[in-house]
Amino acid sequence: MYTQAMDIPDAATKPAGVSRTPDAQDAAFEARIDADGRIEPQDWMPEAYRKTLVRQISQHAHSEIVGMLPEGNWISRAPSLKRKAILIAKVQDEGGHGLYLYSAAETLGTSRDQMLDALHSGKAKYSSIFNYPTLSWADVGVIGWLVDGAAIMNQIPLCRCSYGPYARAMVRVCKEESFHQRQGYEALLVMMKGSDAQKAMVQDAVNRWWWKCLAMFGPPDADSPHSAQGQRWGIKRISNDELRQKFVDATVPQAEVLGVTLPDPDLKWNEDRQHYDYGQIDWAEFWATVEGDGPCNRERLATRVKAHRDGQWVRDAALAHARKQQERTNKEAA
Ligand code: BYC
């Protein structure tokens, strides 16, 4: 899909037979970025740009794969066949997103094995949000509404990321995330028309997930080591704080329609700013979770490592099949 073999060099790559000096390569890259152009796998790029993308795209891929676990827990306990079918489709989509993203990261010269080793050894990060438990069926609806809602807010600007394969993968991912968000919100709307116990279950889930979703956007801009350079390179288009604010502004009216309270006494419309003000996020708790000490970090990682080990026979069988096919082709060609 991302093969470079047939690509014709263009403005930012060296013309055939002409070797560019490092300064000229750098200038061509910067000019392309300044012109809001796309960088493709065959283009020269600074090592720091490549590393930043490998870090972000692989963390994003890990988040999609680990993100299958909290909701996957509920597939066998979904309250109806309809909800079960929707949930299976959603969790399967997340798996697909992980695979596109691993493929996009591979175009930067890293291997799937290297990325998975980093995840399984605890070196690589994945989104903090997936280290919290899903305690009731309402959590599945709230993950769709708030977690996928936050994910879309963060990911729409990534469709314009300067790195082509990542930007293109994000277009499809965002379309699917939009379905995920709607199915979650619709499931909650149905519950909020139900019994008092169902309404209480939704409110409890909102109370537990709200603050974690705000933290998902990453540290405040002033404490975000990668933001300035990420924005300079056109990888990040909108800052962590700006996206968080957009998410709050979009979600408050949705909560009103749903009939739930967002658990923040400081949440109020600010006429001067034309935005909602909101309270303090617990950053100590966020960092503890990111560093491996959240309620489910160990369980999530252990589940992924076991799944990978249990899948070894599938990888072995696929390789044996590919070898056999190759031998047959070679024999026929001989
Ligand atoms: N959790 O300088 P910063 C989904 C780390 S999956 C953990 O702001 P950056 C879904 C950050 O990595 C959603 N770590 O960094 C799936 C960095 O650490 P390192 C996943 C976090 O990269 C299933 C350090 O903090 N989405 O949609 O400029 C079901 C400093 O941060 C978090 C993506 O991955 C966090 N929340 O900005 C449902 C989107 N936040 O690497 C839904 C792509 C920050 O130096 N990624 N850190 O060790 C991004 O947009 C950016 O990487 C971030 C962080 C906004 C997340």
Side-chain angles (χ1 to χ4, degrees):
M1 182 179 178
Y2 294 116
T3 178
Q4 300 168 29
M6 301 296 285
D7 287 325
I8 297 160
D10 53 11
T13 59
K14 57 177 187 181
V18 178
S19 55
R20 280 188 162 157
T21 62
D23 282 354
Q25 285 175 322
D26 201 43
F29 171 84
E30 292 296 335
R32 170 96 46 106
I33 293 285
D34 288 344
D36 212 10
R38 287 269 160 87
I39 306 297
E40 296 296 338
Q42 72 278 13
D43 294 337
W44 182 89
M45 62 187 85
E47 186 56 15
Y49 176 82
R50 193 188 70 78
K51 276 195 175 147
T52 295
L53 283 165
V54 169
R55 179 185 64 78
Q56 177 166 329
I57 302 172
S58 64
Q59 287 178 4
H60 193 165
H62 300 327
S63 304
E64 300 282 357
I65 299 295
V66 178
M68 297 167 78
L69 301 174
E71 290 176 285
N73 272 341
W74 282 90
I75 290 174
S76 60
R77 292 175 287 167
S80 68
L81 183 59
K82 174 181 144 184
R83 295 289 171 204
K84 190 195 284 270
I86 294 171
L87 186 56
I88 290 172
K90 178 186 191 289
V91 171
Q92 197 170 306
D93 284 352
E94 311 295 1
H97 298 172
L99 300 184
Y100 305 145
L101 289 164
Y102 283 130
S103 298
E106 281 171 322
T107 65
L108 291 153
T110 184
S111 74
R112 184 87 49 119
D113 284 344
Q114 282 171 321
M115 291 185 270
L116 290 178
D117 279 351
L119 174 68
H120 297 156
S121 63
K123 259 191 263 154
K125 290 190 169 71
Y126 57 87
S127 182
S128 51
I129 198 74
F130 302 117
N131 291 307
Y132 299 98
T134 38
L135 302 181
S136 78
W137 172 252
D139 288 37
V140 172
V142 168
I143 289 180
W145 174 37
L146 296 180
V147 176
D148 287 272
I152 295 168
M153 201 54 94
N154 163 277
Q155 290 173 13
I156 293 278
L158 292 174
C159 298
R160 294 186 292 115
C161 167
S162 58
Y163 189 58
Y166 192 26
R168 288 189 288 275
M170 292 318 297
V171 173
R172 177 160 176 182
V173 169
C174 284
K175 285 185 182 158
E176 291 177 352
E177 295 291 9
S178 168
F179 150 68
H180 299 169
Q181 197 266 355
R182 280 156 199 229
Q183 66 79 35
Y185 193 66
E186 193 268 341
L188 297 177
L189 278 171
V190 170
M191 289 183 81
M192 289 303 287
K193 289 190 191 122
S195 66
D196 286 349
Q198 283 174 301
K199 290 178 197 166
M201 211 189 276
V202 174
Q203 184 62 59
D204 173 63
V206 170
N207 293 348
R208 283 182 288 106
W209 288 93
W210 173 248
W211 289 105
K212 321 293 182 214
C213 288
L214 293 195
M216 228 181 123
F217 291 92
D221 295 348
D223 304 327
S224 161
H226 303 301
S227 274
Q229 187 61 67
Q231 288 190 279
R232 163 76 194 90
W233 276 329
I235 296 172
K236 274 173 109 154
R237 297 285 179 173
I238 307 185
S239 82
N240 297 358
D241 285 331
E242 283 174 282
L243 287 171
R244 196 173 357 258
Q245 182 70 63
K246 277 164 85 76
F247 174 71
V248 172
D249 292 348
T251 308
V252 172
Q254 295 169 3
E256 280 164 11
V257 171
L258 200 53
V260 295
T261 309
L262 296 172
D264 179 359
D266 296 324
L267 188 67
K268 58 174 180 306
W269 179 250
N270 183 321
E271 196 55 39
D272 294 339
R273 292 199 315 120
Q274 290 290 300
H275 289 294
Y276 283 92
D277 289 338
Y278 56 91
Q280 277 300 314
I281 295 168
D282 184 347
W283 291 112
E285 200 256 0
F286 167 80
W287 286 117
T289 304
V290 170
E291 297 305 330
D293 230 358
C296 300
N297 294 60
R298 288 167 192 83
E299 182 189 329
R300 299 284 184 247
L301 219 48
T303 306
R304 281 310 318 155
V305 169
K306 180 176 182 311
H308 190 70
R309 283 199 189 128
D310 290 352
Q312 184 61 47
W313 71 271
V314 179
R315 295 189 292 280
D316 290 345
L319 283 173
H321 179 70
R323 252 194 315 269
K324 253 193 196 166
Q325 294 283 94
Q326 190 59 51
E327 278 165 16
R328 195 169 300 155
T329 312
N330 291 348
K331 241 187 222 160
E332 278 165 11

